[in-house]
Amino acid sequence: RKEVEQDPGPFNVPEGATVAFNCTYSNSASQSFFWYRQDCRKEPKLLMSVYSSGNEDGRFTAQLNRASQYISLLIRDSKLSDSATYLCVVRYSGAGSYQLTFGKGTKLSVIP
Amino acid sequence: DAGVIQSPRHEVTEMGQEVTLRCKPISGHNSLFWYRQTMMRGLELLIYFNNNVPIDDSGMPEDRFSAKMPNASFSTLKIQPSEPRDSAVYFCASSFGGGYTFGSGTRLTVV
């Protein structure tokens, strides 16, 4: 079974803190990687793709380690509006290449 | 673009009743996915269509579940008969070439 594993949290951090989430995936044939954000009682939305060389989008930095099969997301200077569940997502190569497999998510609460 | 449209937003039904969930994908998207989300299991892929053809239905839990995509702009997920353990949020998503856009989901409660 293809699996994506995440620490469910919750992570409770004060405003302004830096927080990091990790995710591991089991299938070495994995092709593409993403972080999605899901607000309470809402649908998941793409936060950012994760590239092999690492990539940054404002306060968010994503890293990929193919050798260890893990992905990370770093959030700097946390805002109250960052409170959400962060889903690690993997797309596998092969016949089902457009299928995304989601981790169960890590819940983040940013506290005033 | 109105995005992926799902209906109904909420559905409460009695055990044994038939439930039909509906999805209109984004125009031009050629892939459509039905997911189910629960606290225990997270987001699970139920079935995936490409160009209206079911490609992978291995996630459909049992014969009580069926999905159709009669054309590029409409899909249904049907549960017959429904059971309390089917209670979940059902998401439809569509894509073209990779990125997914999710609908707002249908929150199903079977009592």
Side-chain angles (χ1 to χ4, degrees), chain A residues 6 14 17 27 37 42 55 58 66-67 75 86 91 96 106 111:
Chain A
Q6 295 182 249
N27 191 326
R37 171 192 169 128
K42 298 286 189 181
N55 50 297
R66 285 189 182 269
I75 305 176
Y86 291 83
R91 188 171 79 193
T106 299
I111 304 162

Side-chain angles (χ1 to χ4, degrees), chain A residues 8-95:
Chain A
F11 284 58
N12 300 314
V13 303
E15 266 186 296
T18 295
V19 61
F21 308 136
N22 290 327
C23 161
T24 59
Y25 58 94
S26 59
N27 191 326
S28 59
S30 300
Q31 185 180 53
S32 306
F33 309 88
F34 310 89
W35 284 100
Y36 274 65
R37 171 192 169 128
Q38 186 172 23
D39 292 289
C40 187
R41 303 180 80 85
K42 298 286 189 181
E43 72 273 21
K45 292 184 178 178
L46 178 65
L47 177 66
M48 60 194 301
S49 300
V50 185
Y51 303 118
S52 297
S53 55
N55 50 297
E56 194 172 299
D57 182 2
R59 298 180 293 107
F60 298 82
T61 301
Q63 297 277 354
L64 168 65
N65 185 320
R66 285 189 182 269
S68 302
Q69 295 183 198
Y70 83 78
I71 307 151
S72 65
L73 177 68
L74 183 77
I75 305 176
R76 292 182 300 279
D77 188 23
S78 300
K79 311 292 185 190
L80 295 177
S81 57
D82 294 335
S83 297
T85 296
Y86 291 83
L87 304 168
C88 177
V89 186
V90 172
R91 188 171 79 193
Y92 294 91
S93 59

Side-chain angles (χ1 to χ4, degrees), chain A residues 1 34 36 38 41-46 87 91 95-104, chain B residues 10 31 33 35 37 40-43 45 48 55-56 91 97-100 102-104 107:
Chain A
R1 176 180 169 84
F34 310 89
Y36 274 65
Q38 186 172 23
R41 303 180 80 85
K42 298 286 189 181
E43 72 273 21
K45 292 184 178 178
L46 178 65
L87 304 168
R91 188 171 79 193
S97 63
Y98 286 120
Q99 294 180 27
L100 298 184
T101 300
F102 288 77
K104 292 183 181 178
Chain B
H10 302 274
S31 296
F33 308 83
Y35 280 85
Q37 187 173 37
M40 289 296 294
R41 300 172 70 89
L43 268 167
L45 178 67
Y48 151 47
I55 303 299
D56 183 355
F91 286 106
Y100 281 26
F102 281 83
S104 299
R107 185 170 296 273

